[in-house]
Amino acid sequence: MNKPITVLLIICISLFATKLSAQEFEVKGKIIDNTTKTPLESATVYLESIKDTTLITYTISDKNGVFELATRTKLKEVNLFVTFNGFQTYKKKISLNKSVLQLPAINMEPASNELDAVQLVAIRAPITVKKDTLEFNADSFKARPDATVEDLIKKLPGVEIDSEGKITVNGQEVNKILVNGKPFFGNDPNIAIKNLTKEIVDKIQVTSTKSESEEFTGKKGTSEEKTINIELKEDQNKGFFGRATVSGGTDERYAVSGIGNYFNDKQRISVLASKNNINSSGFSFDEIYDMMGNTGGGVSWSGNGSFSVGGLNFGGGQGITTSSNAGISFVDEYEDKTEIIADYFFSRADSENESRVERENILPDGSFFTNSTSTSTNLNDSHRATAELQFEIDSTFKVVVAPSYRFTEGDNFSSRSEESLDDEGTLLNRGDSENRTESERRNFGSDIDVIKKFGSKGAYLSMNLTNTIINNTSDNFLNTTNEIFGATPSTETRDQLTDIDAKENSISADIEYRIPLKEKLFLDLNYRFANRRERNDKQVFDFDNITNQYDDFNETLSSDLKVNFQTHLPRIGVNYESEKLYLSFNTGLLFSELKNEEFIQNTSVTSNFTDVNVNTYMRYRIKQGMSVSLNYNTNTQAPSAQQLQPVANVSNPLNITVGNPNLNREFNHRLYANFNNYDFKSKSGFFVWLSATFTNDKIVPLSITDENRIRTTTYTNVDGVIRTNGGVSYSKTIKRDSSSVRFRVGLYNNYNKEFNFSNGVKFSTKRNALTPSVRMTYNYREVLEIEPNYSVSLNSTQYSLDNLNNETFQNHNVGLRTTTFWPKNIVFGNDLRYTYQSNVAPGFKRGALFWNMSLGVKILKDKGTIKLTAYDLLDQNINTRRSVTADFIQDSQSTVLQRYFMLGFTYKINKVGGKKGGMKFM
């Protein structure tokens, strides 16, 4: 079934490519500073239609001032523009009467008066290069009138948004979205791009993500992630806009939500609220795919329906979730350069789930099988308040204080039945358990930055203090029955209360002093202190049938553990920072002490380590749009209190876990390299990357399974663990007048080599996943959009144990999205996804076709929208997954949201700059 679909996708790509093919014109030339007679690098060159100033194509001049424009168009005459910061805009009408047009040298005159400045504002280039920042003029990229910022970003060169909402720029992930330079409901990328409309946006700026210290001091950043800043138009930066939605459907499905924003120059107040039972956060109200459960996205989401807003989880996960949330965000900047950013979020997730699991457990001398069914209900409330206060004392001195507080409480219940069988199907044991937990968690954090610059050559002193205080309390009621069959059958029951009081206090302090040695060369002196203290008091009480209370203290299963992990890291580094080349080498000695004391079991272990710490980074800009970078660093990871706690966790009577107080810290070597190249002439991008982590003293489970197939697991350290991943991708955009096609092909690979223990026997597991993919977007006149995609994951697992068979399987994913914006005021969307898993156990469904459909009609002068949505139209949604680990192969299936129909109404409120209807908000 996969081959015909794949062939269909290839045919579609070929047809669209053929349709777009036309005679190609090339315009070539060279740009020169008329005063110095030197070439101008990174000047913007673009063509516009004479009739309606529609952008046809654009490019950037190279280091020699040379440019090449390639375009497909039916137009015979166009306007040529050249812009460069500080120079007058060059404009000339040219005739496309040759397939290759060679222009004489273009001499740019410096901007010298107020009239030139007005001209620079009036004529905006589609793209501008400002050092490490790419700036896109929003009006140069055409989209439908009601398009969101997400629709705009998808049209920018080198920018991709995948099916899970992850944004990448030339292959590098975007981890922060700002609006007017400030966070918009935290740093989550999706709230802003899915809820702000294109028509209010002035420009989109893309730059490398920097820390507060790097931003203020001008130090080059080493982050491989990107930040997008959305600058609003000045006349759109005052007023109120928002929307409210009410929807109801079959099977008692519903969704209500509202979001509003008040802007007053640098001040912004935003509020939102939502409630639904369709596994949605309520804020993914894109005109096509909103209110479709986990397909629409929400703020951020995964394939199983989970999502989060600013670090808070909403709905999703396994099962069906009813979620409620509300929040308020405040941003302001005062005349004394003091900035305040504050927000509060409340979320509630009420979920229920049923699951079935079949697992093959791998042993050195064979295997056995476990089958289990479980049900769960979970009710979790979360409150989070954060703030950031920035005080710019003067141009050389800045203080940033960022406190945060989070309170979470939960009431969770689960029941589970599990049985184990040998390879001949003989029943070995059976266990039943009920588990209810009432918990509270308080988390207070603070982050303080103090930065002082000295002189004009780059010297500075920066200090950072971070503190986290966590208090976690819970009462767990456990009732289990465990039956052992065979020659000596037995039955064991437990009725216990486990009272846990866990505290953690972590503090870290960094101080860095930069000394300029000569131009572009710096000496960095750094010292870091970190201390993590944990206290985990676990008291277990058996139920006393005489007193009818949980008052029989179980000393064997109880523990009172204190863990202290302290590190000192003095470092010295040399940094070279130029426009093209950035080199950084930092090294030091990491002194660490891991100490744990157990007061009930009366044990104490102290370990000391001295490790060489290295952090090197190189980035070289070969030319505009092309660069290569390389990073190598080392770090350590301490074991958690649960991994150290030397008492048994018997919540699952067939799988018991015991900590190991003698664990060492993990030591990691990480290597990362990438190469990216975006060619503005051909509108094509190429990106390749590789990441590898090598770990010694890796903490891994060590399991012993007795003759009754009851597993007891503890932890130990092993060397030689390898985890690598890498990929290569190529993307290209072909544009012809009013239509365009953009396609992307990629090849990704993950390889892991791990070591585990089964019945005391050490063995290795090598897992590899190779995933080729292809994706295309075809747009015709902003009234039709077609997005086919296909990927297949080729998975293989090899074991070093002779008695184990190697495992291979494939996961196929085919998707097709279509959207039409015709006739006027009607939007019709379809989202089809076919998934197929080649190797799951009998009784589990391997493939399913998932189809969502929606029809929207705009009314009330576009202020209102009526929408009919069909979720899982064919009623085939499944949640079957195969998992392969070092010591088991598992197939599982759980509750999913199934077919429903929903009718909704959305109303928009718009009042901006004193004029109603001036802005739309999705």
Side-chain angles (χ1 to χ4, degrees), residues 16 22 42 139 155 162 167 269 359 392 452 808 859 869:
F16 288 132
S42 298
D139 290 338
K155 295 179 179 294
D162 67 15
I167 309 170
I269 301 174
R359 175 186 292 185
E392 193 168 327
K452 174 64 177 177
T808 60
I859 59 175
T869 300

Side-chain angles (χ1 to χ4, degrees), residues 455-658:
S456 59
K457 296 183 179 181
Y460 68 83
L461 176 69
S462 69
M463 293 175 285
N464 173 263
L465 180 66
T466 302
N467 181 226
T468 302
I469 300 173
I470 301 173
N471 188 2
N472 191 4
T473 60
S474 65
D475 290 326
N476 173 259
F477 297 89
L478 177 66
N479 196 314
T480 67
T481 300
N482 190 28
E483 297 179 86
I484 306 298
F485 303 99
T488 56
S490 63
T491 300
E492 180 184 22
T493 62
R494 292 182 185 271
D495 190 0
Q496 294 176 334
L497 165 64
T498 301
D499 184 9
I500 295 178
D501 185 3
K503 295 180 173 65
E504 179 181 336
N505 190 341
S506 299
I507 187 170
S508 65
D510 288 88
I511 182 168
E512 182 179 59
Y513 182 56
R514 165 162 284 199
I515 304 171
L517 300 178
K518 57 184 303 185
E519 186 180 4
K520 303 177 183 178
L521 185 65
F522 306 92
L523 177 69
D524 290 343
L525 303 176
N526 180 276
Y527 172 74
R528 175 180 173 83
F529 168 79
N531 189 72
R532 190 193 81 197
R533 290 181 296 168
E534 290 187 68
R535 185 70 178 264
N536 195 307
D537 186 6
K538 175 184 177 182
Q539 298 186 14
V540 180
F541 299 90
D542 293 316
F543 185 78
D544 192 320
N545 292 317
I546 298 177
T547 63
N548 285 325
Q549 293 184 4
Y550 293 95
D551 55 10
D552 184 6
F553 183 67
N554 190 323
E555 183 174 337
T556 303
L557 300 181
S558 299
S559 173
D560 186 6
L561 179 68
K562 180 180 178 181
V563 179
N564 193 78
F565 184 62
Q566 187 174 106
T567 61
H568 300 266
L569 177 58
R571 291 195 303 179
I572 185 170
V574 178
N575 290 267
Y576 176 79
E577 302 179 6
S578 69
E579 289 296 319
K580 283 187 171 293
L581 178 64
Y582 176 34
L583 283 173
S584 173
F585 179 80
N586 294 269
T587 186
L589 282 178
L590 177 64
F591 304 94
S592 55
E593 180 184 76
L594 176 61
K595 182 178 182 180
N596 61 82
E597 299 176 83
E598 213 300 316
F599 297 102
I600 295 179
Q601 308 297 330
N602 196 25
T603 61
S604 178
V605 179
T606 301
S607 302
N608 291 280
F609 310 94
T610 301
D611 301 301
V612 175
N613 180 269
V614 178
N615 191 341
T616 64
Y617 184 82
M618 184 277 291
R619 180 172 63 237
Y620 179 66
R621 185 172 71 90
I622 303 169
K623 63 178 183 179
Q624 181 60 47
M626 181 186 294
S627 65
V628 59
S629 65
L630 181 67
N631 175 237
Y632 167 74
N633 62 70
T634 62
N635 62 72
T636 62
Q637 177 67 45
S640 66
Q642 289 74 20
Q643 291 172 327
L644 294 167
Q645 209 157 21
V647 295
N649 181 340
V650 294
S651 57
N652 184 342
L654 302 182
N655 291 278
I656 301 169
T657 304
V658 183

